[in-house]
Amino acid sequence: MGSTERGLYFVFMNYDPEFERLQADRTKRAAFEVDIYLSRKHDELLANTLGIGTYKKALSLKIVDGFAVQITEHQANVLRSVNGVRVVEKNQVFN
């Protein structure tokens, strides 16, 4: 099944026309709306897929439609199969 050890993973989403529309608007209001839209979208995806309390979202990435989350390898594999998810990659730490 995989390790229960959590790691930091980056999750990037497929093309989203609403995100693109909001990104194209360079007003301060639109920048605020992008933040809210992405945070809500990412939170809902995680809660609906992994269950509340089984992960820790670190941040939503505003420049690209993505986020960082602390999850197990098994949870990363679950996210990889979700419709709308493009890439799930574990953060690589170099010593």
Side-chain angles (χ1 to χ4, degrees), residues 8 22 43-44 47 54 64-65 67 80 82 86 88 91 94:
L8 184 66
L22 291 169
D43 289 345
E44 287 175 2
T54 66
V64 296
D65 185 358
F67 57 94
R80 286 183 181 102
V82 172
R86 183 170 42 98
V88 178
N91 185 36
F94 298 99

Side-chain angles (χ1 to χ4, degrees), residues 22-87:
L22 291 169
Q23 280 288 84
D25 185 344
R26 298 295 181 189
T27 64
K28 283 186 178 184
R29 177 173 173 82
F32 179 72
E33 288 177 5
V34 167
D35 287 342
I36 291 172
Y37 175 75
L38 288 180
S39 185
R40 182 176 295 136
K41 175 182 169 178
H42 300 155
D43 289 345
E44 287 175 2
L45 175 102
L46 288 166
N48 292 335
T49 305
L50 303 179
I52 296 172
T54 66
Y55 59 87
K56 182 177 179 184
K57 187 175 95 172
L59 58 97
S60 285
L61 303 167
K62 182 177 172 182
I63 294 175
V64 296
D65 185 358
F67 57 94
V69 61
Q70 291 181 357
I71 53 176
T72 66
E73 182 180 342
H74 174 73
Q75 288 174 308
N77 289 330
V78 169
L79 283 175
R80 286 183 181 102
S81 68
V82 172
N83 188 27
V85 172
R86 183 170 42 98
V87 176

Side-chain angles (χ1 to χ4, degrees), residues 15-25:
Y15 173 78
D16 178 348
E18 180 64 10
F19 169 70
E20 293 298 326
R21 184 189 70 76
L22 291 169
Q23 280 288 84
D25 185 344

